[in-house]
């Protein structure tokens, strides 16, 4: 008779000891049964108990006591329920925090929905920013070519051109916001003036440089191609100035059109704040859920271990009782085989019961307890 081995080296040692005990007890009972049968004993129940049952009981009881000392004497179900109860005490505050987070999150979700930016306007604003960026890069490149044709070092030309590109790109954005904030028509006209007049002067200066560079290149081409028809006319700095100024003005006007109002800025701030708070709540919720899962997993593992330990101890106790009964059956078999009177005592059919001191519930009780047990969730 073998038990399913619970994952504990100590249990394997105990099983080996019980197997040796079973073998020794059966051999002893067989020998005693043969010797008693040769003299036609036992003849009554008291003699039967004194002859073999007391011996089997005295040998089995220490094994039962050892099983009791090796394993927890309290019901494994009690331990499992205690573990689950402690887990619930830890989980309940976490579940309450999940509920609180959900209550806080709902108005934030509503606020986020109400403050959601206009997607069409956002797309248009991005397109305007990209267009202004392209214009600024182009102006910076043309300015670099103009500076290179003038007696200006290469690195200085590069930094100057980069500065012009940045000034045009970011200037169209920030100056648009500056103009948009004007309260009255005269204030807006004044701000247009202090923005566009310096811009026109700057573009005129750059137009002169670019015009001079283009004319020098045209003259050089005329000198190289003397046999061909000479290029006539020259590039006007005013035309270059007008072209650059109109491109800048276009970018500026579009930037003014899509520039955020104070109300939109406040709305975006509320939207960003709601998004951040929702993200924080989601992180807290995720952390609480992970803690709950970890607590549940740990409680289940410990409960299963307690139940398995209890079931193993119960099965071992039942096995020891079965070994004692089996040994008595071996005694009766050997005794009947060697009796010369040919009789079968009545107490062989209905043998007296053992008086073992037991510690664990029987298998049926254990199964009943398992049916009433549920893991924490």
């Amino acid at each position: 008779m073998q038990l399913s081995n619970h994952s504990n080296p100590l249990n394997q040692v105990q099983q080996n000891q019980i197997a040796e005990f079973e073998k020794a007890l059966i051999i002893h009972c067989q020998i005693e049964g043969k010797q008693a049968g040769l003299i036609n004993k036992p003849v009554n129940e008291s003699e039967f108990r004194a002859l073999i049952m007391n011996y089997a009981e005295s040998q089995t009881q220490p094994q039962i006591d050892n099983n009791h000392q090796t394993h927890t004497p309290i019901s494994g179900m009690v331990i499992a329920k205690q573990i689950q109860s402690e887990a619930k005490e830890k989980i309940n505050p976490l579940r309450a925090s999940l509920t609180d987070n959900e209550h806080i999150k709902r108005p934030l979700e509503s606020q986020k929905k109400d403050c959601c930016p206009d997607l069409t306007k956002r797309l248009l604003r991005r397109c305007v920013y990209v267009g202004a960026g392209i214009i600024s890069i182009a102006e910076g490149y043309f300015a670099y070519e103009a500076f290179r044709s003038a007696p200006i070092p290469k690195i200085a030309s590069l930094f100057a051109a980069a500065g012009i590109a940045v000034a045009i790109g970011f200037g169209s954005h920030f100056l648009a916001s500056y103009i948009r904030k004007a309260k009255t028509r005269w204030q807006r006209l004044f701000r247009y003036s202090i923005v566009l007049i310096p811009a026109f002067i700057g573009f005129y200066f750059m137009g002169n440089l670019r015009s001079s560079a283009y004319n020098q290149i045209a003259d050089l081409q005329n000198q190289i191609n003397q046999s061909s028809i000479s290029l006539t006319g020259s590039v006007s700095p005013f035309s270059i100035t007008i072209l650059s100024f109109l491109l800048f003005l276009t970018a500026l006007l579009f930037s003014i059109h899509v520039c955020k109002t104070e109300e939109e800025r406040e709305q975006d701030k509320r939207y960003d704040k709601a998004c951040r708070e929702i993200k924080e709540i989601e992180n807290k919720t995720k952390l609480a859920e992970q803690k709950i899962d970890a607590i549940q997993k740990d409680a289940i593992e410990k409960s299963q271990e307690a139940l398995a330990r209890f079931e193993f101890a119960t099965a071992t106790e039942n096995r020891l009782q079965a070994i004692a009964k089996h040994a008595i059956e071996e005694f009766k078999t050997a005794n009947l085989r060697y009796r010369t009177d040919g009789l079968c005592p009545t107490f062989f059919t209905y043998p007296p019961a053992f008086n073992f001191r037991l510690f664990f519930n029987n298998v049926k009780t254990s199964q009943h307890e398992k049916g009433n047990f549920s893991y924490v969730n």
Side-chain angles (χ1 to χ4, degrees):
M1 181 184 297
Q2 294 294 329
L3 295 174
S4 59
N5 186 22
H6 180 47
S7 57
N8 191 336
L10 183 62
N11 294 338
Q12 184 62 49
V13 173
Q14 185 181 8
Q15 286 194 47
N16 293 337
Q17 293 176 349
I18 292 175
E20 293 176 0
F21 161 75
E22 180 180 11
K23 182 178 179 181
L25 182 62
I26 289 176
I27 291 175
H28 177 83
C29 289
Q30 289 174 343
I31 293 173
E32 289 295 325
K34 177 181 177 181
Q35 292 177 352
L38 292 174
I39 58 176
N40 296 322
K41 289 186 177 183
V43 296
N44 54 53
E45 184 175 316
S46 299
E47 189 177 16
F48 176 58
R49 178 176 288 278
L51 187 63
I52 192 60
M53 286 199 65
N54 289 344
Y55 176 82
E57 188 173 301
S58 65
Q59 295 298 312
T60 305
Q61 185 62 53
Q63 297 293 330
I64 295 175
D65 294 340
N66 179 64
N67 181 60
H68 168 251
Q69 295 173 0
T70 302
H71 302 283
T72 305
I74 194 171
S75 170
M77 185 58 56
V78 174
I79 298 175
K81 287 183 177 180
Q82 181 180 357
I83 292 171
Q84 295 297 315
S85 177
E86 292 175 355
K88 284 183 178 179
E89 291 179 358
K90 296 178 181 178
I91 288 175
N92 287 338
L94 294 174
R95 291 198 183 280
S97 68
L98 291 179
T99 304
D100 294 340
N101 290 340
E102 188 65 25
H103 291 162
I104 297 173
K105 184 179 178 181
R106 287 177 184 175
L108 290 174
E109 290 282 2
S110 178
Q111 179 181 343
K112 177 182 176 182
K113 185 178 179 181
D114 295 338
C115 298
C116 183
D118 188 345
L119 298 180
T120 303
K121 188 174 276 190
R122 176 182 287 184
L123 179 61
L124 179 60
R125 188 177 293 121
R126 288 180 179 176
C127 293
V128 170
Y129 292 160
V130 171
I134 293 173
I135 292 174
S136 64
I137 292 172
E139 288 295 331
Y141 172 75
F142 292 135
Y144 175 74
E145 292 295 328
F147 286 140
R148 290 295 296 137
S149 64
I152 300 176
K154 183 177 181 180
I155 296 180
S157 300
L158 182 62
F159 277 102
I164 291 172
V166 171
I168 294 174
F170 286 93
S172 62
H173 175 68
F174 290 107
L175 292 175
S177 177
Y178 171 70
I179 295 173
R180 183 70 179 267
K181 292 178 181 179
K183 302 292 185 181
T184 63
R185 181 182 300 178
W186 290 107
Q187 190 178 15
R188 178 169 295 186
L189 182 61
F190 173 75
R191 294 190 179 188
Y192 267 118
S193 299
I194 63 175
V195 168
L196 296 180
I197 291 175
F200 184 83
I201 294 173
F203 283 123
Y204 184 75
F205 172 74
M206 292 305 304
N208 276 319
L209 287 179
R210 290 166 63 182
S211 173
S212 175
Y214 296 153
N215 289 331
Q216 288 179 10
I217 294 174
D219 292 341
L220 182 61
Q221 289 292 334
N222 287 332
Q223 293 175 9
I224 293 174
N225 302 318
Q226 291 179 357
S227 60
S228 302
I229 298 175
S230 298
L231 296 173
T232 59
S234 60
V235 179
S236 171
F238 189 73
S239 61
I240 297 176
T241 301
I242 293 298
L243 178 61
S244 298
F245 181 75
L246 287 177
L247 290 175
F248 171 75
L249 182 61
T250 302
L252 180 64
L253 292 175
F254 273 107
S255 297
I256 292 173
H257 178 70
V258 300
C259 183
K260 294 180 181 179
T261 62
E262 288 299 325
E263 182 181 352
E264 289 175 332
R265 293 180 189 278
E266 290 299 324
Q267 181 177 334
D268 287 347
K269 288 180 181 179
R270 293 195 300 270
Y271 177 80
D272 294 338
K273 181 181 178 182
C275 290
R276 287 194 304 270
E277 292 179 355
I278 289 173
K279 185 66 175 177
E280 291 176 0
I281 291 174
E282 288 177 347
N283 291 336
K284 291 180 181 178
T285 300
K286 184 177 180 181
L287 182 61
E289 289 175 347
Q290 290 175 350
K291 288 182 179 179
I292 290 173
D293 291 340
I295 293 172
Q296 287 177 334
K297 182 179 179 182
D298 182 64
I300 290 173
E301 289 177 354
K302 290 182 178 179
S303 299
Q304 290 176 342
E305 182 180 355
L307 289 174
R309 185 181 180 88
F310 169 73
E311 289 176 352
F312 181 83
T314 302
T316 301
E317 190 171 87
N318 290 329
R319 178 188 176 192
L320 290 169
Q321 296 178 70
I323 289 173
K325 293 178 181 178
H326 178 63
I328 295 302
E329 292 299 321
E330 292 292 331
F331 173 87
K332 291 191 292 184
T333 300
N335 185 268
L336 292 175
R337 183 181 300 126
Y338 290 100
R339 290 181 77 99
T340 58
D341 57 7
L343 298 177
C344 178
T346 305
F347 50 85
F348 272 21
T349 306
Y350 303 101
F354 287 107
N355 296 318
F356 291 125
R357 183 174 65 257
L358 304 177
F359 302 95
F360 296 94
N361 296 328
N362 56 42
V363 177
K364 292 182 179 180
T365 304
S366 174
Q367 294 296 331
H368 174 70
E369 287 181 340
K370 286 183 67 179
N372 294 332
F373 179 75
S374 61
Y375 290 109
V376 64
N377 50 38

